[in-house]
Amino acid sequence: MEKLIRGIVDFRKSVRPGYKDVFARLALGQRPDTLFIACSDSRVVPNLFASSDPGDLFVVRNVGNLIPPCGASNPRPSEDSEAAAIEFALRSLPITDIVVCGHSECGAMTALAHGRAQLESPSLKSWLRHGEASLRRIDSAIPGDAHLERHNRLSRVNVLQQLEHLKTYPLVHERMQAGRLHLHGWWFDIKEADVYEYDPGSGGFRLIDEDYARVLLQRAESAGA
């Protein structure tokens, strides 16, 4: 807590003066174009590794970056938040892209890989059921993933599975069919501080370096044309 308080003081002295106009403008409303779904893990900081500014991302974070399928059986009231965020983002904000971002050394994926039945937390045990479909796909061959530890392979497969869960939402499906919405699967390697994107063409995750970034930017320009 001391670090947070000192950080606020430092923000007021060093950062706030340069952002006052930005926040004054944002006080009138937000217009992010990307819904970013990430894990709650403290080591995953989207605004840092994507060098984004306040107002750029509408962020949803939860344990394991999981998305309950639309109309999931036996939903809990607490799980309405993900559906509410998706619906709000698409109905009220100019969202054109959704990113699901998993990461290495994910505690949720490790627990799932070991079997959620062993968990002592009833709520966590129930929540992780939305990753069971990912667990069933763990042996699916993703090019370039054979060297990864099991929980990290699961983390990558889980990104792809959660993208499938997103497609069960009628509004997501409708926007995708109309070419107004694009889904992306990202994976953050904590140790190397590298970000990968799932490339449907190769069927694997590719490092977003300068060369691949140019490819992605060209695709984005073509999609927006």
Side-chain angles (χ1 to χ4, degrees):
M1 182 54 94
E2 290 181 9
K3 184 175 182 179
L4 297 182
I5 294 172
R6 293 183 188 280
I8 290 174
V9 173
D10 183 63
F11 172 82
R12 287 182 56 82
K13 288 181 179 179
S14 306
V15 181
R16 180 172 170 264
Y19 274 92
K20 286 192 69 175
D21 290 343
V22 173
F23 282 107
R25 184 175 69 253
L26 289 174
L28 302 177
Q30 60 171 327
R31 293 187 59 78
D33 59 11
T34 302
L35 167 58
F36 201 98
I37 301 170
C39 184
S40 300
D41 194 298
S42 63
R43 300 166 293 180
V44 179
V45 189
N47 291 89
L48 179 62
F49 64 67
S51 300
S52 54
D53 292 321
D56 287 346
L57 304 176
F58 187 74
V59 181
V60 173
R61 300 186 68 158
N62 63 50
V63 175
N65 46 272
L66 300 174
I67 301 298
C70 185
S73 59
N74 301 317
R76 293 189 173 192
S78 60
E79 295 175 8
D80 289 343
S81 63
E82 278 69 31
I86 292 167
E87 291 178 4
F88 173 79
L90 294 183
R91 293 187 184 279
S92 304
L93 301 172
I95 299 296
T96 56
D97 295 270
I98 301 179
V99 174
V100 174
C101 184
H103 67 95
S104 64
E105 315 312 329
C106 179
M109 294 300 103
T110 299
L112 190 59
H114 289 165
R116 64 189 181 96
Q118 302 178 31
L119 294 171
E120 296 181 359
S121 168
S123 295
L124 181 59
K125 184 186 299 184
S126 175
W127 172 247
L128 288 181
R129 75 187 188 279
H130 299 303
E132 286 289 347
S134 304
L135 191 58
R136 291 192 291 272
R137 293 179 56 176
I138 193 172
D139 292 324
S140 300
I142 295 181
D145 282 10
H147 69 289
L148 296 176
E149 294 180 85
R150 190 168 188 266
H151 61 282
N152 286 333
R153 294 203 313 273
L154 178 58
S155 177
R156 286 193 171 188
V157 167
N158 184 61
V159 168
L160 306 185
Q161 185 61 44
Q162 301 314 310
L163 290 175
E164 294 303 312
H165 289 181
L166 269 173
K167 294 175 186 177
T168 65
Y169 288 79
L171 196 53
V172 171
H173 178 75
E174 174 188 317
R175 298 275 176 97
M176 289 182 66
Q177 289 296 105
R180 298 166 55 196
L181 182 68
H182 305 278
L183 305 187
H184 312 271
W186 286 13
W187 192 77
F188 180 59
D189 184 338
I190 293 176
K191 182 178 180 180
E192 300 297 332
D194 275 329
V195 182
Y196 293 75
E197 176 174 90
Y198 178 72
D199 175 28
S202 65
F205 283 84
R206 293 182 60 179
L207 174 66
I208 304 180
D209 55 14
E210 291 185 3
D211 291 337
Y212 189 47
R214 281 193 288 270
V215 173
L216 295 177
L217 290 172
Q218 290 173 356
R219 288 180 187 171
E221 290 175 3
S222 299

